[in-house]
Amino acid sequence: NSVYLDKGVTFDFAGGAVKSLGPGRFVLVVKNQQAFLSHYGQALAGLVAGQYSGKLANDGETVSLVDTWNGTIAEFDYGDGSGWPLSADGGGHSLVPLDSALLDEPRGSLNYPGNWRASAYLGGSPGRDDPEPVEGVLINEFLANPSPTSDTPDDWVELHNPTNVGVNLAGWYLSDDRTDLSKWALPGGSIPAHGCAAFEIDGFGLGWNGEELLLSHLPGTAEDRIADAVEFKAQEPDVSRGRLPDGGQYWFRLAPSPGQANADPLADLVIDELMYHPIDPNEEYVELYNPLNRKIDLGGETAWRLDGAVSFDFPPDTRVAAGGRVVVVGFDPQVETSRLVAFLVSYKVVSSAGVTVVGPWKGGLSNRGERVALEKQLPGDNSAEPAAWAVVDEVIYSDVAPWPTGADGDGQVLQRIAVASDRSGNDPTNWQAAAPSPGK
């Protein structure tokens, strides 16, 4: 029998230099063996089975390991979009699956970007277990679009130290380019334990209409690393983007608070329900909820859209009342009226009065998981780019843990638990599988 890689890159271990693999041991398959050993050291030569054919796509693809007798051993899709570790996409780090996701791999756990992390250090850790990432300084908040009348008219970045000891900033850098990590050396000094420090950037500016921001520790040793990285779309004037609470996993639109504890997340329209895998494929929908005490106009002076798995530009007359909802579907409810009736009957909507259903979107909600984003338009900064889009809410969902799995084809919907402005749509613990209730 033979074990082989057959997707992404191809390699048959039957013809390789390593014929068996003991418990807890490692084997390596590389693109160029000479270049690999020159970089990582000859000590790894005995672990290299050989050179694969093909190339791992920078934007992601399927990787598959197969046993000719027993079938597929492991198969997953990796990517480079929202939710995937930015520092592993050309920043020099490798992708490492979370230990908590490995047992669920047969169900597709490794297709979900949240089940991966970047390697602890630049270059990865071929031939050995990757160490747990070092707890250290994080990017905590930044302002990329200050107005001329702002209290802080320049771009700034706030760092947070979540550890119990002060951190000296010697050897730390900020950059907006993952291929040039040492663009701007942070000034001397230190950040106290559990403290924050804000810096006006000198050496580059944050692009308000979309950018990447990276924090690196580069002492010139084997422990060089990108400590934190964030990629963002357009930013609204005088609205910062920050973690909540300080050092937390999820990002929010905030009232700027440089050097102080993050607070005051902005309340706005949220994605409330995702019917991504209905029993009838024609009955997919996305529901939005307005938690404010005023109506929101989705097609007035400011245009709104859904982006990601589905694309939909809201019509000019779309309004969501205070406490109201709007349901987006894959068909045109104004034209396909019989389909609308069937949709409402299927979900036991007794009366269509007060239920706003709009469509059709382009695309579809993947049964395995995907990104769905609610965005609003900002004026572009030149004629070539007349519009930029700011993310108001985002959900990168999955049909595997840590997401609730009951919404995966059994008739239930993925339903948001809390719509408070300090609860992220990307937090799987803020979602449950529940009976669908579009428009309610």
Side-chain angles (χ1 to χ4, degrees), residues 117-426:
R117 64 171 174 86
S119 58
Y121 301 108
L122 292 173
S125 56
R128 60 188 177 92
D129 281 320
D130 193 73
E132 284 298 313
V134 179
E135 183 184 39
V137 178
L138 299 169
I139 300 168
N140 197 51
E141 186 183 8
F142 61 88
L143 183 67
N145 192 7
S147 69
T149 58
S150 172
D151 293 337
T152 53
D154 295 316
D155 298 346
W156 53 263
V157 177
E158 178 189 84
L159 305 181
H160 174 67
N161 173 13
T163 72
N164 294 323
V165 297
V167 175
N168 190 304
L169 294 177
W172 289 85
Y173 295 83
L174 283 170
S175 176
D176 62 348
D177 183 353
R178 71 194 82 171
T179 67
D180 183 9
L181 298 178
S182 57
K183 261 196 172 184
W184 185 61
L186 286 165
S190 63
I191 303 179
H194 305 289
C196 296
F199 303 91
E200 291 186 0
I201 302 173
D202 183 12
F204 66 91
L206 294 178
W208 71 267
N209 58 345
E211 181 74 280
E212 61 187 34
L213 178 62
L214 304 103
L215 172 69
S216 301
H217 188 222
L218 305 173
T221 72
E223 296 186 348
D224 289 4
R225 69 186 191 277
I226 297 175
D228 199 12
V230 59
E231 191 169 27
F232 56 92
K233 298 187 75 168
Q235 302 295 293
E236 301 153 83
D238 291 335
V239 174
S240 69
R241 184 167 171 79
R243 299 176 182 273
L244 197 67
D246 290 326
Q249 183 176 354
Y250 303 109
W251 292 86
F252 298 84
R253 298 151 66 226
L254 303 174
S257 57
Q260 301 175 5
N262 289 350
D264 300 326
L266 304 185
D268 216 323
L269 197 65
V270 299
I271 299 168
D272 185 48
E273 283 190 1
L274 289 170
M275 176 54 87
Y276 69 87
H277 192 179
I279 295 174
D280 181 344
N282 294 316
E283 294 173 357
E284 289 184 355
Y285 69 84
V286 174
E287 181 186 81
L288 309 179
Y289 172 68
N290 177 10
L292 307 181
N293 58 6
R294 58 175 176 82
K295 71 176 181 181
I296 298 177
D297 189 344
L298 302 184
E301 295 182 2
T302 300
W304 292 64
R305 73 177 187 184
L306 290 180
D307 185 47
V310 296
S311 301
F312 179 70
D313 297 322
F314 286 91
D317 58 349
T318 308
R319 297 175 180 84
V320 189
R325 291 172 167 81
V326 59
V327 179
V328 190
V329 296
F331 60 91
D332 189 338
Q334 302 297 319
V335 175
E336 300 173 83
T337 53
S338 60
R339 192 168 173 184
L340 173 61
V341 170
F343 177 86
L344 297 174
V345 169
S346 175
Y347 287 118
K348 299 179 174 58
V349 180
V350 177
S351 171
S352 61
V355 178
T356 302
V357 181
V358 295
W361 63 41
K362 295 179 181 177
L365 299 175
S366 170
N367 291 347
R368 296 197 314 181
E370 214 164 347
R371 172 182 179 265
V372 179
L374 174 64
E375 302 179 346
K376 65 179 178 181
Q377 189 181 73
L378 302 177
D381 57 1
N382 60 62
S383 57
E385 297 183 43
W389 293 91
V391 177
V392 175
D393 193 27
E394 179 185 70
V395 183
I396 303 173
Y397 70 93
S398 178
D399 67 336
V400 295
W403 286 83
T405 59
D408 188 19
D410 293 330
Q412 292 189 304
V413 69
L414 199 60
Q415 186 179 80
R416 197 174 187 133
I417 296 171
V419 298
S421 58
D422 62 350
R423 294 296 305 274
S424 172
N426 277 323

Side-chain angles (χ1 to χ4, degrees), residues 9-208:
V9 295
T10 58
F11 180 81
D12 192 337
F13 285 91
V18 179
K19 301 298 185 182
S20 63
L21 192 64
R25 308 293 290 178
F26 296 89
V27 63
L28 300 170
V29 184
V30 301
K31 174 67 175 178
N32 182 310
Q33 187 166 344
Q34 181 178 355
F36 176 85
L37 294 176
S38 175
H39 181 78
Y40 289 103
Q42 292 295 324
L44 294 175
L47 301 182
V48 178
Q51 299 181 159
Y52 56 69
S53 298
K55 182 180 183 295
L56 293 171
N58 291 344
D59 57 354
E61 60 183 319
T62 302
V63 176
S64 180
L65 181 66
V66 179
D67 184 328
T68 51
W69 281 5
N70 299 307
T72 300
I73 298 172
E75 182 172 303
F76 60 86
D77 295 338
Y78 71 93
D80 70 341
S82 295
W84 288 94
L86 178 63
S87 54
D89 183 22
H93 287 257
S94 63
L95 277 174
V96 181
L98 300 183
D99 290 344
S100 60
L102 292 179
L103 289 178
D104 211 20
E105 185 279 329
R107 290 199 67 249
S109 63
L110 298 188
N111 298 318
Y112 172 53
N115 280 333
W116 293 83
R117 64 171 174 86
S119 58
Y121 301 108
L122 292 173
S125 56
R128 60 188 177 92
D129 281 320
D130 193 73
E132 284 298 313
V134 179
E135 183 184 39
V137 178
L138 299 169
I139 300 168
N140 197 51
E141 186 183 8
F142 61 88
L143 183 67
N145 192 7
S147 69
T149 58
S150 172
D151 293 337
T152 53
D154 295 316
D155 298 346
W156 53 263
V157 177
E158 178 189 84
L159 305 181
H160 174 67
N161 173 13
T163 72
N164 294 323
V165 297
V167 175
N168 190 304
L169 294 177
W172 289 85
Y173 295 83
L174 283 170
S175 176
D176 62 348
D177 183 353
R178 71 194 82 171
T179 67
D180 183 9
L181 298 178
S182 57
K183 261 196 172 184
W184 185 61
L186 286 165
S190 63
I191 303 179
H194 305 289
C196 296
F199 303 91
E200 291 186 0
I201 302 173
D202 183 12
F204 66 91
L206 294 178
W208 71 267

